[in-house]
Each structure stands twice: as C-alpha cells, then as structure tokens.
Amino acid sequence: MLLLYGLLVHLGIPASSLLLPVPSNLVLTYDSPFSTEGCFNDLGRAVPCANANPIDTCLHPGEDYYQENPANCEEYYRCVAGVAYAYKCPLGTLWSREASACDWDFNVQCGGASAAASVGGRRYPGILSNYDYRQMTPEALLAENERIMQVMKDVYDNVGGVPREGVNFVNVIKPLIDLDGDVHTQSGVLTFATNVALDKALRDASVEADKKITDLQIDLSLRNDVFQNIKAFAETEEAKSMNYEQQRYVEEALRNGKRDGLLLSGDTLEEFKKNKKKISELGIDFRKCLGEDKSHFYAEEKDLDGVPQDVIESMEKDESGKRKVTTKYPHYHPVIKNCKNPQTRFIMEKLMQSRCVKENTPRIEQLITLRQRQADILGYPTHAAFVQEEKMAKNPENVQKFLTDLTSKLQILWKGEKDTMLDLKKSEAAELGIEFNGKIAKEDFWYYANEVEKKNYSVDKEKLKEYFPLETVTAGMMEIYQRLLGLKFTKLAGGEVWHDEVSMYQVDDKATGENIGYFYMDLHPRDGKYGHAAMWDLQPGSLDKHGNRQKAVATMVCNFPKPEADKPALLEHRQVQTFFHEFGHVMHGICSRTNISTFFGTNVEGDFVEAPSQMLENWVWEEESLKMMSGHYEDESPIPADLLKNLVASKSANEGGKSLRQMYFATLDMMLHTRGQADTMLVAKDLYMDILGIERIDGTNIAANLGHLIGYDAGYYGYMWSKVFSQDMFATRFAAEGILNPKTGMDYRNMILGPGGSLDGAEMLRNFLGRDPNQEAFLKSKGLEL
C-alpha cells in the first residue's frame, strides 16, 4: 500500500483517489466519540460531531472533502454527509494541504507557515494562505519568499533540462501552468502585505520580497532553454490535442517570448534584463512612497467653514486646538468639495498634488526613458505601441483618435458647465467681499461642481449621506449582487484576517450549494494602508496541480469614513458608487471559472478590465436599486422621493468637466509614453490648460502621484474606452430586461465574468450582446450627439 502510494505521488497522481478509512485502532478516539452539541452540516441541520470541539465540525457541502487538523499534521478530517470524521495518516506520512492527501513527511511543510496558520484565527476550508499579518514576522516573510523562489528556479531548471526530443505536455507545459497558480497564491500573500499590514517593518519586508521575486521572474522569463522547449512542444502532434485554454496558454507563451526579450542576445540582452529590473524597482518604490505618505496641515475650525461637522470632529487636534487635516480621502474630499475658504482649499489641493513630488518625479521620468529604451530594443516605435499591441485598441493610433474625438465633444459640454461655475464663483465672491478673478482655479473645480449639484439639482449631499450608512449600503449591495448573480454570501467570524476591522464572507452558488470562494473587505483608513480603493485576486479559483478546483479568494480595500460615537459610518453617494464598482471586481475574481490561473478573474485585456465593474455602477443611479441600499441611519426611513429623483437626475451634472479630467489623465499617459523623455511637471501643467483651461498649482506634479502610471502605463485610456462597453451592456440587456432580472444576471455571470481572460473581450461582448458593441449608449449617457 505505501509503495503504491509513493509511486502515485511520484507520478503526480492524486493520492486521495486511493485513500481509504484507516483501521479503527488508528481513528482518533474521544471520551464521547460523537457529540451533538454545536455541530451542523451544510444545510444548517444538527449532526453528530467528529469530536467535542465544534471548530472541527464539517461545514463543507461536499460528500468527500478533506481538511487538515491545524493542531496535528498527522491527522486529517474527512467530511461525509456533513459530518467530520477524524483519521490518522499512515506511518511516515503527514497531511498535505497542497495535495489534499497524506504525503511523505519529507514533502510536507509542517510547523512552518501552515502550522502557524492556526494561531490567532480559523482557517476556513480551501483557503491556502494565512492573511493574519499580525502573526507574521519580517524574517518569516522573507524566508518564505526565498523558499518560493527556489521552487520557481527548480521548476524552470527541470523544464529547461528536458531533452528537446523528449518534450511533452506533462514535462514542459503542465509544470509551468501549475507554477503560475502556486506562485500567484503563495507569493501573493507576501506581497499583498505592503498594502495592509500594520507593522511597517513587515510592509518593508513585503516590498523587498516583491522586488526579489519580480527580479527572479524577469530572469526566468528570459530562459531560452525553457522557451525553446515550449516551442518544440508546440510543433508536436500531442500539442494538437490540447484543450482550448491549454492552446491559448502555449500561444501566449510563444508570443510573449519576443516581448520578454528572448530573441535578444549578448550585451543587448543584458541591457534589456537590467532595464527590466530597474523598471520594476522604480515602480515598487513609486507606489511605496505614496502608500507611506503622511502629508497633513493644521487649520483653525473657522477656516474649515462648510466642511461637515462630523468630518471636522474626526480630525485630530493639536495643543492649540487646530485640526489636523490629512490627504486621506475621508478628509480630502469633504474639504475640497465643501470648504468655503478658498485659501484652505488651495492648501488642501496643493498638499494633495505635492505628495512624493521630490521623490517620484525623478522616478517617473527615469521610467519613461527606460520604457522607451525597452521598446527601441524590441523594435517597437514607442512604449505605448508595445503595451497596446495586446489590448483591444491594438495600437496608439486608435487610442489617440478615440481620445481626440471624445475630448472635442466633451469640451463643448464643459464650456457651458464652466460658465455656470464662474457665475457661482462671482456671486460668492461678492457675498464674501473678495475679488473675483474670472477664473476657475485647480482648487475650485470640485467645490463649484458640488455647488452646481446643490443649487441646480437640489441635491443636499450632507442630508443624502444620512441615508447611506455603511452597513445598510453593504447589506443592500450584497442583496443585489446575490440576486443578480445567483450567489449566497455568509459572513464568517474568527477567520485569519490582518485587522479587526476586516470582515470575511463565504460565497456559495445558490443553485448547487457549492462553496466557490471567499472575500475580505477592509473599508477604513489607517496609517500605512493603501490609500485608494482597489481589489486584489489573492487566490485563483482555477484548477490546482491535482486537477481539483480551488476556492477563489479576493479582497477589497477602501478608505471609507469610520463610525463615530453617536452615529455609524455614513457614505457620500460618490463613495457608494466606488463601493459598488470595487465589489464588481471582487465578483469578477470570485465568479470566474477558468481552468488555468493565468486566465482567471480580472486577467483580461487592460482596456476591458474595468468594463464589468463600470457596468455595475449604473445600479447606484436607479431608483429601484437605490431604495434597496439606503435608509436613514436613525430610523431606516427611505430617501425622500424628491431627493431621490433629484439625485438620479444629477447623474449628468458636470459630466463634461468630470469626463475631461479622465481624458486629461489618459492623454497625459499617452504623451509620456509616446516619447523617450519628458519634463513631466511642465507637460502635466500645459496639458491641463489645453484640455480644461485651468492652471495647475506651481510646484505640484500629478505625474509624481498618479499611481496608475505604474502598472496602467499607456493604459489609462482604458477607463473611458471600457465605458463604451459598460454602457452598451447595461442599456442593451439590463435596462431593457430589468436591472434585477436574474436570467440577465446569470448571462452576465456566465458570459462576462465566468470566462476571465480565456476569451477575448470582444468575443465575450458579442456573446452577451448578440452583436458587436457600439458607442451609441455611451454617447447618450454623456449627453452627446451620436
């Protein structure tokens, strides 16, 4: 039995297929073998427990499910009909979470990262990593990173060492596919720490680990022996029998060979590799600076006139009673949109736009030069051409035409909006007894945009906030997503999370009861935390190396206000929209059903990735769905009918100016990445005047604090590009068939979210729309002519 088991492990065959209940004398015994206290099956019914400890109760709906005993690696549990039965592994073996079976003890890491996982929280079935960073030390993080890097080297050495005449799917392609999935999850838990961990030393170690593993990935991507074996396999008869995803994987690996520099040699190759590592290092340092920024100023309360009192009360006081105003969103947005004192707004805006200018300006300018040099080496005219080759847009010419045409149309809208803002500023200047200069300044834009909504649409945003308590919004949003996508969310307690404020949910398919994954939500600001709103795919729900589907794990990080002593956290409508958008990304990372991790979830074309979430933003502008996610924080009363109608009508308010800001960022990105060098501060300043007719503040540089220039470089246009698709999907299907229509929602889940990147965006859109997409709905949504 053990010899046969060992042979199967060596051959990579799932040993769990041979596991049988061990003799009764090896089964764990207890004073009372079965207890009925506190144990429930997947249907919520009381069942006998495997022992007297309810935490070991089987909660998984499957008939055949294995889970380790976190306290003893020699033991494991088997779930049968909702009851957890305890077993011991055969002599010489330990329970392997990776294999979901007993494996030779020398193959199993016991007492390290896996064993430590039980400290401080419960590991729910199928989650492969411990996200309680409070239990992790910088030394342990870096040691784990070294282990992962060694595994990566070993896999590439094995694949590269296969004789050319002996290549096959099992010894060349499968190891690489499996490694992609393992590294995504195992290194992801280490590099995600920089965004949320409480300990700065751990965040610094996470950054160091990210740099090291990225450098190694660059080296491995340039392994010509591995590339030549992939190429050789692609020419075999066996390659013709691969399934669709496997074929796509091999095709992408071959196409990426040139893009990764595998056709280079000698000094050129060495320069390319050196540049690639430097680009990665600069990008990591650029983001780290913004993440660690603590810029602030102090203001008298009288100079914060107009700022909501609850926001002022949330600000710390110094010894003199002045309030500490930070650049975190819960301070920045209320101040820049509501403060009546133009000097305070100026200080706020200048501080916000000055973050990391000294450190990141030389970094971004060096990045621009290095990216262009890489494009030159590979034979592309510009970095933008290199990036967009793999996007839906295909080339910079198509992007530039899109930006130019749309900008000119939006500027017509903006002219009228700007005149309205100037009228308001003139009137206010007269009331305050200050000089009217006839200009909309940088610090004026959001303030007067807000005033327009108040006066022209009668939208009192402070009053409106009272109807959007965070818990009510969360419950309503989740109900909408569950109803649309055929899912069931269950809030979990006691999980391994990095902060006490983090909430955790299990996601089940409503029709089958299958547990398909989990998600975390980290919603409030704190020092050292990622400062914007974003989603991370932590664990892909693709097939593991044994052919078993993993549980998908995703997280959403936001910076919403915290609750106060006398009231809950209240959201602005803009924040409700952000919440809905980012949760849409979470659902993309949960509902995807690809087999290969490379194509899972949000791994789609960069100018399509925002479309699924942008489409779902429409629900925060529809009366039916708004009623589901709102209610006064004191008595749960609904939003007054007139305020609700005014809110919906205000969707088109300032649309020209707000959209032009997006066009500005996209155009700046394109300008920087279609030239070899740039004075970014000057380019950013001149372009803002050209597009919006507004002067930027001297000494500031948006290129130094626009995080999208790292990772979204030459891709910012995708935000507006993908809105074409998002509006087409909403207008064609949901607006026509019902915004809560479960059939339409399931089509969306299966045709848009499910395929991940295994299909091209254009093909997914055709499947969902029944035709090629067009701009008609998008232009109408902006109030523009077709």
Side-chain angles (χ1 to χ4, degrees):
M1 174 69 178
L2 286 177
L3 286 175
L4 179 59
Y5 173 83
L7 178 62
L8 290 171
V9 170
H10 179 71
L11 294 175
I13 299 172
S16 56
S17 62
L18 285 185
L19 284 178
L20 299 173
V22 294
S24 59
N25 63 330
L26 288 180
V27 178
L28 293 176
T29 59
Y30 307 92
D31 293 336
S32 174
F34 294 102
S35 166
T36 58
E37 279 190 41
C39 297
F40 301 91
N41 66 11
D42 59 292
L43 300 177
R45 296 171 184 160
V47 295
C49 291
N51 57 37
N53 186 356
I55 200 169
D56 296 325
T57 302
C58 170
L59 295 175
H60 194 275
E63 286 292 311
D64 187 19
Y65 180 77
Y66 298 93
Q67 184 181 7
E68 77 282 4
N69 178 350
N72 185 348
C73 295
E74 296 177 355
E75 300 168 356
Y76 65 95
Y77 301 108
R78 184 175 180 223
C79 171
V80 179
V83 182
Y85 294 92
Y87 298 86
K88 276 193 175 182
C89 288
L91 184 65
T93 68
L94 296 172
W95 178 260
S96 167
R97 168 180 290 138
E98 183 176 321
S100 288
C102 296
D103 197 354
W104 296 118
D105 52 12
F106 55 78
N107 286 334
V108 178
Q109 183 181 10
C110 184
S114 297
S118 63
V119 180
R122 176 182 178 184
R123 177 74 55 83
Y124 281 89
I127 299 178
L128 303 178
S129 302
N130 181 6
Y131 295 99
D132 187 354
Y133 294 121
R134 295 168 293 189
Q135 303 298 327
M136 186 181 290
T137 65
E139 295 76 18
L141 186 151
L142 292 173
E144 175 66 3
N145 197 58
E146 291 298 322
R147 182 195 70 79
I148 295 168
M149 291 170 62
Q150 187 59 53
V151 170
M152 294 165 67
K153 293 174 188 175
D154 291 345
V155 170
Y156 270 74
D157 285 346
N158 291 339
V159 171
V162 174
R164 202 65 40 81
E165 64 276 8
V167 297
N168 58 45
F169 182 84
V170 171
N171 61 25
V172 172
I173 305 303
K174 189 176 186 301
L176 297 175
I177 290 175
D178 293 340
L179 183 67
D180 287 346
D182 289 345
V183 170
H184 180 117
T185 299
Q186 294 174 25
S187 72
V189 66
L190 308 182
T191 56
F192 177 59
T194 188
N195 300 288
V196 297
L198 301 177
D199 179 19
K200 185 178 185 303
L202 190 67
R203 296 197 302 271
D204 290 343
S206 175
V207 170
E208 182 181 344
D210 195 2
K211 289 180 178 180
K212 285 184 175 181
I213 208 159
T214 302
D215 281 354
L216 177 60
Q217 286 171 330
I218 291 169
D219 287 338
L220 297 179
S221 72
L222 290 165
R223 286 281 298 261
N224 193 55
D225 54 348
V226 173
F227 177 73
Q228 291 301 329
N229 275 355
I230 296 173
K231 187 177 178 182
F233 169 73
E235 296 169 355
T236 65
E237 284 297 313
E238 183 187 2
K240 297 176 183 178
S241 63
M242 290 188 296
N243 64 38
Y244 174 79
E245 279 193 39
Q246 292 165 348
Q247 290 176 1
R248 189 177 178 92
Y249 182 89
V250 171
E251 288 167 2
E252 288 196 1
L254 294 174
R255 185 178 70 243
N256 289 339
K258 175 188 175 184
R259 294 174 59 82
D260 288 338
L262 277 165
L263 300 185
L264 305 175
S265 60
D267 292 343
T268 305
L269 175 60
E270 288 306 308
E271 180 192 357
F272 183 82
K273 186 187 301 186
K274 181 180 177 182
N275 289 347
K276 204 168 184 181
K277 291 181 178 180
K278 186 62 177 178
I279 287 170
S280 171
E281 178 185 330
L282 287 167
I284 292 170
D285 288 341
F286 186 103
R287 283 188 176 273
K288 182 175 185 286
C289 183
L290 293 174
E292 298 290 345
D293 180 74
K294 295 182 180 179
S295 299
H296 63 274
F297 69 98
Y298 288 91
E300 300 278 2
E301 287 196 22
K302 64 181 178 61
D303 293 325
L304 295 170
D305 184 29
V307 178
Q309 191 59 36
D310 61 336
V311 176
I312 294 175
E313 293 298 328
S314 74
M315 298 172 177
E316 297 175 16
K317 277 186 178 181
D318 68 4
E319 300 82 1
S320 66
K322 290 183 178 180
R323 294 290 184 174
K324 181 181 179 181
V325 186
T326 73
T327 55
K328 301 296 184 186
Y329 282 172
H331 286 182
Y332 171 73
H333 284 293
V335 171
I336 206 64
K337 291 180 177 181
N338 296 284
C339 186
K340 295 180 180 179
N341 188 323
Q343 183 60 27
T344 303
R345 293 201 308 272
F346 174 81
I347 295 170
M348 179 83 265
E349 188 66 18
K350 182 170 184 178
L351 190 68
M352 186 69 168
Q353 302 299 330
S354 299
R355 291 170 301 141
C356 296
V357 165
K358 180 180 178 181
E359 300 89 347
N360 280 354
T361 295
R363 285 176 182 143
I364 192 61
E365 292 181 356
Q366 188 177 0
L367 277 167
I368 292 165
T369 301
L370 287 172
R371 287 166 178 166
Q372 180 57 45
R373 176 57 186 154
Q374 295 295 80
D376 292 339
I377 291 174
L378 292 175
Y380 293 88
T382 63
H383 177 65
F386 169 76
V387 170
Q388 290 157 17
E389 177 183 59
E390 292 192 311
K391 305 290 179 68
M392 293 183 75
K394 299 304 180 188
N395 58 62
E397 291 74 27
N398 289 339
V399 173
Q400 196 58 58
K401 183 177 186 306
F402 172 76
L403 294 177
T404 301
D405 290 351
L406 186 54
T407 296
S408 62
K409 292 177 179 177
L410 289 168
Q411 283 175 328
I412 297 171
L413 285 181
W414 168 234
K415 183 179 184 304
E417 294 168 0
K418 188 178 180 182
D419 288 343
T420 301
M421 289 184 183
L422 284 169
D423 289 342
L424 289 173
K425 184 175 183 179
K426 184 177 182 179
S427 298
E428 190 171 76
E431 292 175 13
L432 298 174
I434 59 177
E435 182 182 353
F436 172 60
N437 62 7
K439 298 179 181 179
I440 294 296
K442 182 71 175 67
E443 66 272 16
D444 290 335
F445 180 87
W446 287 116
Y447 175 75
Y448 287 107
N450 193 35
E451 290 297 298
V452 167
E453 292 184 37
K454 286 181 186 177
K455 292 179 168 58
N456 293 9
Y457 293 88
S458 299
V459 176
D460 184 339
K461 291 191 176 180
E462 287 311 301
K463 183 66 177 174
L464 190 60
K465 264 172 51 175
E466 297 178 3
Y467 293 91
F468 288 125
L470 179 57
E471 287 190 8
T472 301
V473 173
T474 302
M477 179 187 73
M478 289 189 176
E479 174 59 27
I480 290 168
Y481 274 98
Q482 288 175 98
R483 192 182 300 186
L484 277 176
L485 302 179
L487 302 172
K488 177 187 175 184
F489 303 152
T490 303
K491 191 170 185 178
L492 303 176
E496 294 168 337
V497 297
W498 53 91
H499 193 278
D500 291 343
E501 292 176 348
V502 175
S503 56
M504 179 182 180
Y505 292 81
Q506 177 174 314
V507 183
D508 299 328
D509 180 83
K510 193 176 294 183
T512 66
E514 177 192 1
N515 169 17
I516 61 176
Y518 304 86
F519 64 85
Y520 303 94
M521 296 199 300
D522 184 355
L523 302 181
H524 303 297
R526 58 181 179 269
D527 285 344
K529 178 185 167 182
Y530 180 78
H532 301 280
M535 166 270 186
W536 278 264
D537 272 323
L538 298 177
Q539 179 177 306
S542 48
L543 301 185
D544 64 17
K545 66 178 63 177
H546 305 287
N548 301 314
R549 186 164 297 282
Q550 298 183 152
K551 307 304 178 189
V553 181
T555 188
M556 176 169 62
V557 175
C558 296
N559 285 274
F560 298 143
K562 293 185 176 183
E564 299 174 33
D566 59 342
K567 66 176 68 171
L570 302 177
L571 301 185
E572 297 178 15
H573 182 258
R574 171 193 59 82
Q575 293 169 322
V576 176
Q577 183 171 338
T578 297
F579 201 2
F580 232 81
H581 176 99
E582 295 303 334
F583 196 73
H585 284 312
V586 171
M587 290 297 96
H588 204 168
I590 294 291
C591 294
S592 179
R593 297 293 280 184
T594 65
N595 293 333
I596 297 178
S597 66
T598 309
F599 304 128
F600 187 82
T602 57
N603 289 323
V604 299
E605 295 110 312
D607 47 6
F608 180 72
V609 68
E610 296 296 333
S613 284
Q614 288 171 337
M615 197 279 296
L616 291 157
E617 289 179 25
N618 285 284
W619 273 252
V620 306
W621 295 104
E622 297 289 324
E623 288 192 26
E624 182 180 4
S625 45
L626 278 168
K627 290 176 181 177
M628 294 177 65
M629 65 180 94
S630 61
H632 199 278
Y633 76 92
E634 292 180 332
D635 58 10
E636 299 183 1
S637 58
I639 302 175
D642 57 343
L643 182 56
L644 184 59
K645 289 184 181 298
N646 291 339
L647 171 63
V648 173
S650 72
K651 183 180 181 182
S652 60
N654 307 300
E655 190 60 48
K658 288 188 289 188
S659 294
L660 273 180
R661 288 183 73 258
Q662 294 299 308
M663 303 307 286
Y664 164 74
F665 295 135
T667 305
L668 174 65
D669 180 29
M670 283 294 291
M671 290 179 70
L672 297 181
H673 291 111
T674 51
R675 54 183 69 182
Q677 57 184 10
D679 180 340
T680 55
M681 188 177 290
L682 181 62
V683 171
K685 185 174 183 179
D686 289 348
L687 183 63
Y688 207 68
M689 176 60 74
D690 289 345
I691 290 181
L692 284 130
I694 296 176
E695 293 183 8
R696 295 195 67 84
I697 299 172
D698 287 342
T700 66
N701 184 13
I702 188 62
N705 42 62
L706 182 62
H708 296 79
L709 294 176
I710 311 300
Y712 266 67
D713 41 294
Y716 197 99
Y717 76 92
Y719 278 103
M720 293 300 284
W721 180 278
S722 59
K723 277 197 172 184
V724 172
F725 310 130
S726 70
Q727 288 308 118
D728 199 359
M729 287 190 287
F730 178 74
T732 302
R733 295 294 308 270
F734 287 100
E737 299 169 16
I739 63 168
L740 296 176
N741 186 320
K743 181 184 182 304
T744 312
M746 285 303 294
D747 282 351
Y748 188 73
R749 173 180 164 183
N750 294 329
M751 297 178 183
I752 299 296
L753 304 181
S758 66
L759 298 177
D760 291 341
E763 184 175 351
M764 287 187 274
L765 286 166
R766 280 193 295 271
N767 291 341
F768 184 68
L769 297 171
R771 56 166 173 76
D772 288 330
N774 61 56
Q775 290 193 17
E776 182 177 340
F778 169 73
L779 294 175
K780 282 183 178 179
S781 73
K782 299 293 181 186
L784 299 171
E785 295 182 2
L786 301 181

